[in-house]
Amino acid sequence: MKKQITLFLSILILIVVSCKKDKKDETVVNSDASISVDSARAIAKEAWIYGFPIFYNYKTVYSYALDKNNPNGAKNFNTFKNYSNSFTALDTTIVTPNNDTPYSWAILNLSDEPVVLEVPEITNKRYYVMQLIDAYTYNFAYVGSRATGNKAGKYLVAGPKWKGETPKGIDKVFTSETNLVTILGRTEMDNVGETNVIKKIQSGYRLIPLHEYSKTTAPEAVKYAMPLPEWKEADYKSLEFINVLNSLLQYTVPDKSEKELLERFAKIGIVPGVPFDKSKFSPEILKAIGQGIAEGGKVLEESISKTTSSLNLFGSRADLKNNYVSRATAAAMGIYGNTKEEAVYVGSMNDKDGKPLDGANKYVLHFKKEQLPAVDYFWSITMYNLPQRNLVKNPINRYSIGDRTKGIKYEPNGDLIIYLQTDSPGKDKENNWLPSPQKGGFNIIVRLYGPAKNVTSGEWKIPLPEKTN
């Protein structure tokens, strides 16, 4: 009996020691005992770049679905907010908005169940598109003129964990990597007098929770450990960016290709659903994380300065191949840009001599006849101020110009000259005038909807503005 008791105590001691060892091993991941200052700095830099588009996507999520004080938002998930007018200089929620197609915004929360997207028939060959974007800012699906045609349809949008059966009447199922999804609808507007036409079309864009579509019982609501935060611009320039990411990453299912990446992030406290605890890190490690944030910002700024085209900036995960710098650059320069097969954006911040475009100067943009954009739908040029990247306030309320601009004049030989300047170039040239800001820098973006192959291949080049007297 004594031997049995001794044996039992020995086993018990081994179990206790083993448990303590396991517990110690678990906590080491989130303490700076397992990470050097250099590693913390490098991981923070990488994580900041990785999370940048997630954070700025959340700006739109918060603005349109959660901010009850935003008069222009839907104030709820799974609800369309339509705009029957094109954007103006007063619209500053997103950077580099287009001025060609009034928007229809919706933020989906697919945590509980899928949502059915219903679209009406779009007549008269009018271009429209519903771009589906996940929380990473990947374009994971399209509905519209190019992708599905202009016929009426019903499309099921599901989160990453949904395994149900597709109900009758659904044309296609689209599965997102994340439970937070942005739908950005664009409907072509040929002139400002089409407001009522646009309103009628937009009224046919509907979102139906799956249980309502199937006439079944609503599922139980999914609960998350961390609430969605109030969006604050300053958060992403501080250690608070970790808390924001930890909240937003709850709505994702990690891709297999990012397993090791997320394991590295956990070493500095980036763990979905777990509040960031500074007390687990020494002052030296916290300082290193701050330095990594600053270094990430410099990498992004450098990438932005070298980027003049949207080619290969926007698309699915497969398109972008986990290039996080490109993904962050896209979010900074023009979040929610289209995949190149849908539309291509080409622009410049510099003139033909390589000098920054400035509102103090006058420029011409000269398209040779053979250089005019080849598209299936239409093209436009839009003016933005810098560094804000907002539309430019001007006396004629013209924010873009293109092949649909009323009265635009071509040269006798078929060339096209656009005037980029603050003041009118003269009554005889005003139809070709795109006003620039009174002072400060600006950039232009050419949007090509349904671009030809020479555009998507990168062969076609935009002419650069030439400074004039």
Side-chain angles (χ1 to χ4, degrees):
M1 182 69 179
K2 188 175 181 181
K3 289 182 179 180
Q4 289 176 331
I5 292 173
T6 302
L7 179 61
F8 173 78
L9 289 173
S10 298
I11 293 172
L12 184 61
I13 290 169
L14 286 172
I15 291 173
V16 171
V17 170
S18 177
C19 288
K20 285 183 176 179
K21 184 178 184 296
D22 289 345
K23 187 175 182 182
K24 182 181 179 182
D25 289 344
E26 287 174 2
T27 58
V28 127
V29 175
N30 288 322
S31 72
D32 57 13
S34 66
I35 188 170
S36 67
V37 167
D38 289 343
S39 293
R41 185 186 303 112
I43 292 171
K45 174 183 174 181
E46 186 178 27
W48 189 90
I49 293 170
Y50 173 89
F52 184 90
I54 300 174
F55 180 75
Y56 277 93
N57 171 73
Y58 184 62
K59 177 181 181 179
T60 303
V61 170
Y62 184 82
S63 176
Y64 281 90
L66 297 172
D67 187 357
K68 304 303 181 184
N69 296 318
N70 178 14
N72 295 316
K75 299 181 176 66
N76 208 347
F77 288 114
N78 306 334
T79 303
F80 266 119
K81 176 66 177 181
N82 295 309
Y83 300 85
S84 56
N85 296 310
S86 295
F87 272 28
T88 72
L90 299 177
D91 299 293
T92 59
T93 300
I94 63 171
V95 295
T96 61
N98 89 55
N99 191 247
D100 307 311
T101 55
Y103 289 126
S104 294
W105 288 91
I107 308 298
L108 308 186
N109 186 345
L110 305 174
S111 301
D112 300 339
E113 62 179 329
V115 170
V116 175
L117 165 64
E118 182 178 358
V119 296
E121 180 182 8
I122 309 294
T123 59
N124 299 325
K125 297 182 179 180
R126 185 185 299 273
Y127 172 80
Y128 92 103
V129 62
M130 289 286 165
Q131 177 188 0
L132 278 66
I133 311 142
D134 66 22
Y136 298 118
T137 65
Y138 289 127
N139 298 331
F140 69 91
Y142 275 94
V143 171
S145 301
R146 177 192 64 86
T148 57
N150 279 26
K151 62 183 182 297
K154 296 182 179 70
Y155 304 90
L156 188 77
V157 187
K161 294 183 178 180
W162 185 72
K163 305 295 182 184
E165 293 185 6
T166 304
K168 292 181 180 180
I170 297 298
D171 294 286
K172 196 168 185 179
V173 176
F174 299 119
T175 303
S176 168
E177 285 187 34
T178 67
N179 281 319
L180 291 179
V181 168
T182 297
I183 296 183
L184 177 48
R186 301 175 176 91
T187 308
E188 179 184 355
M189 186 181 216
D190 288 331
N191 60 72
V192 293
E194 284 198 316
T195 299
N196 289 334
V197 176
I198 297 298
K199 284 182 178 179
K200 184 177 180 180
I201 293 171
Q202 291 175 332
S203 68
Y205 300 148
R206 298 180 63 213
L207 293 167
I208 311 165
L210 180 58
H211 78 273
E212 289 184 14
Y213 180 86
S214 303
K215 295 180 172 57
T216 56
T217 304
E220 186 177 345
V222 172
K223 296 181 180 179
Y224 290 99
M226 289 181 71
L228 286 170
E230 179 183 356
W231 192 88
K232 298 176 183 177
E233 182 90 34
D235 284 351
Y236 214 69
K237 296 178 180 179
S238 71
L239 295 182
E240 187 60 25
F241 96 96
I242 295 178
N243 260 332
V244 176
L245 277 186
N246 288 354
S247 174
L248 298 178
L249 289 175
Q250 295 175 111
Y251 291 79
T252 71
V253 171
D255 187 76
K256 292 179 181 178
S257 66
E258 295 182 343
K259 183 177 182 295
E260 293 182 1
L261 180 80
L262 296 175
E263 287 174 353
R264 287 201 300 278
F265 290 174
K267 292 181 178 180
I268 62 167
I270 298 176
V271 181
V274 179
F276 180 56
D277 186 354
K278 292 182 181 180
S279 68
K280 290 185 176 180
F281 300 92
S282 68
E284 291 76 17
I285 294 297
L286 293 175
K287 181 180 179 181
I289 293 173
Q291 291 169 340
I293 292 171
E295 289 179 8
K298 290 178 181 178
V299 169
L300 179 56
E301 288 175 8
E302 183 178 356
S303 178
I304 290 171
S305 69
K306 296 178 179 178
T307 302
T308 58
S309 169
S310 72
L311 284 173
N312 306 316
L313 276 187
F314 304 99
S316 64
R317 181 183 290 277
D319 293 329
L320 299 182
K321 297 177 174 59
N322 288 359
N323 186 329
Y324 304 121
V325 174
S326 288
R327 195 175 78 186
T329 302
M333 295 188 70
I335 196 167
Y336 307 141
N338 275 299
T339 303
K340 64 182 179 181
E341 286 76 17
E342 189 70 36
V344 166
Y345 316 113
V346 183
S348 181
M349 294 183 285
N350 299 319
D351 64 18
K352 193 173 182 179
D353 297 322
K355 295 181 180 179
L357 297 172
D358 194 308
N361 302 322
K362 298 179 180 180
Y363 305 88
V364 295
L365 191 63
H366 190 158
F367 288 90
K368 298 289 186 182
K369 180 180 179 180
E370 63 276 10
Q371 198 179 14
L372 288 168
V375 293
D376 290 337
Y377 303 111
F378 62 94
W379 63 268
S380 70
I381 307 168
T382 309
M383 172 79 65
Y384 300 98
N385 58 18
L386 292 176
Q388 298 90 346
R389 299 183 187 276
N390 294 325
L391 297 170
V392 174
K393 184 178 180 181
N394 65 84
I396 61 173
N397 295 321
R398 179 180 289 164
Y399 306 102
S400 64
I401 194 168
D403 59 354
R404 299 168 305 143
T405 299
K406 186 177 180 180
I408 194 167
K409 297 178 181 178
Y410 292 81
E411 299 298 302
N413 64 357
D415 290 2
L416 178 64
I417 298 175
I418 305 296
Y419 299 91
L420 310 174
Q421 56 189 68
T422 298
D423 301 319
S424 170
K427 285 292 182 182
D428 60 327
K429 298 176 181 177
E430 274 193 0
N431 288 346
N432 291 34
W433 175 33
L434 182 59
S436 59
Q438 292 285 338
K439 60 180 180 179
F442 68 88
N443 75 317
I444 57 170
I445 293 181
V446 182
R447 288 180 169 86
L448 303 96
Y449 296 89
K453 288 185 178 179
N454 72 327
V455 177
T456 57
S457 68
E459 179 184 347
W460 181 85
K461 303 294 182 184
I462 177 181
L464 294 177
E466 300 176 47
K467 185 178 176 182
T468 62
N469 295 323

